[in-house]
């Protein structure tokens, strides 16, 4: 189970431990408050492992540890939960490095871990449960870097689902609504990210879009955070069902409002979908350069 420092990973590790499973829980930092909390609240069956999904040596160390402890039995389940995003901005304003980091953690890291554990999962005819995001299915405004990595993750897991059927391995995707996890709901964190983004933007882009444009996006996102759900049990239950149900669903959608969102996405015209996503999530005002042009047009008229 990856990404157990906080949020879904931490709650799921605790839940599976209470159910009596032997859990290998990976954390970014063994001394983090989340790791300490798991040490105190879980049984001796739970093993905490340090892993940064962007570091090959970390993944290899975790793979070796799990292999050494499950070689005779195989591994029943892998939960790919670790995820990363620290940019809320238009794709044009998001540095290329942010796209790469999202891909490294959310896609390549999870892919490497999954491939490394597949021999153990095959021998047990086990399960792979992966936490993706509706942002990987739909073009949420200002989430391109994160969404692109989750789209790649969803697709590769769907491919595994099809290819691993002969081995008896079942693969499920979890696409949660908006929940309160880790730094995702900390306004101070997002304000700092906004300042860093503004400092890194080329002058021409800053002129075209305007500092107030970036400020407005950040304010709207902080406002949106207030609807984040604190009770993570719907997601934990979906992950648990993916691991234990005789016939788990291919996709789980824990969270409110996802039914209407996917209905609009699948059956209504693109412009309706785009309007809905802006109304639901972030609706940026016009970039500065376009506001100037509009102003000129009004004067001419």
């Amino acid at each position: 189970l990856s990404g157990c420092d906080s949020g879904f990973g931490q709650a799921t590790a605790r839940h599976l431990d209470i159910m009596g499973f032997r859990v290998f829980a990976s954390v970014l930092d063994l001394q983090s408050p989340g790791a300490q909390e798991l040490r105190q609240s879980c049984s001796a069956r739970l093993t905490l492992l340090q892993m940064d999904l962007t570091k090959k040596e970390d993944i290899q160390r975790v793979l070796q540890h799990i292999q050494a402890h499950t070689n005779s039995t195989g591994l029943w389940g892998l939960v790919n939960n670790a995820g990363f995003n620290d940019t809320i901005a238009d794709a044009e304003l998001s540095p290329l490095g942010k796209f790469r980091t999202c891909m490294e953690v959310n896609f390549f890291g999870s892919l490497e871990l999954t491939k490394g554990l597949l021999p153990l999962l095959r021998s047990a005819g086990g399960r792979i449960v992966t936490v993706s995001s509706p942002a990987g299915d739909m073009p949420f405004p200002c989430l391109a870097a994160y969404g692109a990595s989750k789209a790649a993750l969803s697709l590769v897991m769907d491919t595994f689902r099809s290819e691993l059927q002969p081995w008896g391995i079942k693969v499920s995707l979890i696409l949660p609504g908006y929940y309160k996890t880790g730094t995702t709901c900390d306004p101070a964190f997002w304000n700092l990210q906004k300042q860093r983004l503004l400092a890194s933007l080329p002058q021409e882009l800053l002129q075209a879009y305007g500092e107030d444009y970036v400020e407005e996006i950040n304010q709207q996102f902080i406002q949106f955070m207030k609807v984040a759900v604190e009770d993570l049990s719907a997601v934990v239950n979906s992950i648990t069902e993916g691991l234990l149900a005789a016939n788990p669903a291919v996709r789980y959608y824990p969270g409110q409002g996802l039914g209407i969102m996917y209905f609009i996405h699948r059956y209504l015209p693109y412009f309706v979908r785009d309007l809905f996503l802006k109304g639901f999530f972030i609706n940026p005002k016009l970039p500065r350069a376009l506001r100037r042009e509009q102003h000129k047009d009004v004067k001419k008229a």
Side-chain angles (χ1 to χ4, degrees), residues 177-249:
Y178 194 53
Y179 287 86
K180 198 166 188 165
T181 61
T183 55
T184 57
C185 287
D186 177 4
F189 171 81
W190 291 108
N191 278 317
L192 177 63
Q193 294 311 120
K194 175 199 68 186
Q195 297 301 345
R196 286 179 174 161
L197 177 67
L198 285 169
S200 73
L201 284 179
Q203 200 52 39
E204 189 274 326
L205 268 185
L206 197 53
Q207 283 297 107
Y209 280 86
E211 194 169 321
D212 60 335
Y213 179 89
V214 178
E215 287 278 358
E216 169 77 7
I217 286 169
N218 193 59
Q219 282 312 311
Q220 284 194 33
F221 181 63
I222 286 171
Q223 200 55 38
F224 176 74
M225 279 185 219
K226 293 176 181 169
V227 306
V229 179
E230 288 195 41
D231 179 7
L232 308 183
S233 59
V235 181
V236 173
N237 292 340
S238 295
I239 293 171
T240 306
E241 192 179 314
L243 287 171
L244 301 179
N247 289 300

Side-chain angles (χ1 to χ4, degrees), residues 293-301:
E293 281 166 27
Q294 265 201 355
H295 190 59
K296 281 179 204 161
D297 290 344
V298 169
K299 273 187 174 173
K300 280 177 198 166

Side-chain angles (χ1 to χ4, degrees), residues 15-41:
H15 182 66
L16 293 173
D17 180 70
I18 289 166
M19 289 179 79
F21 290 98
R22 181 163 191 204
V23 179
F24 297 96
S26 86
V27 291
L28 252 182
D29 178 5
L30 288 168
Q31 301 313 315
S32 69
Q36 305 276 27
E37 206 274 323
L38 282 176
R39 267 192 206 96
Q40 286 156 13
S41 64

Side-chain angles (χ1 to χ4, degrees), residues 37-108:
E37 206 274 323
L38 282 176
R39 267 192 206 96
Q40 286 156 13
S41 64
C42 293
S43 72
R45 283 188 307 273
L46 182 122
T47 305
L48 278 175
L49 301 166
Q50 191 279 324
M51 179 173 65
D52 178 340
L53 280 172
T54 65
K55 293 181 177 160
K56 246 180 170 31
E57 59 275 21
D58 279 20
I59 296 174
Q60 287 310 310
R61 194 181 63 247
V62 164
L63 290 175
Q64 282 160 10
H65 181 96
I66 294 173
Q67 278 157 0
H69 288 82
T70 59
N71 241 340
S72 54
T73 58
L75 182 69
W76 175 252
L78 161 63
V79 180
N80 288 306
N81 166 69
F84 172 84
N85 180 45
D86 70 351
T87 308
I88 305 291
D90 292 48
E92 188 178 13
L93 298 177
S94 305
L96 211 54
K98 298 295 186 186
F99 282 85
R100 287 204 172 96
T101 308
C102 280
M103 288 300 284
E104 282 299 329
V105 178
N106 303 338
F107 177 71
F108 286 111

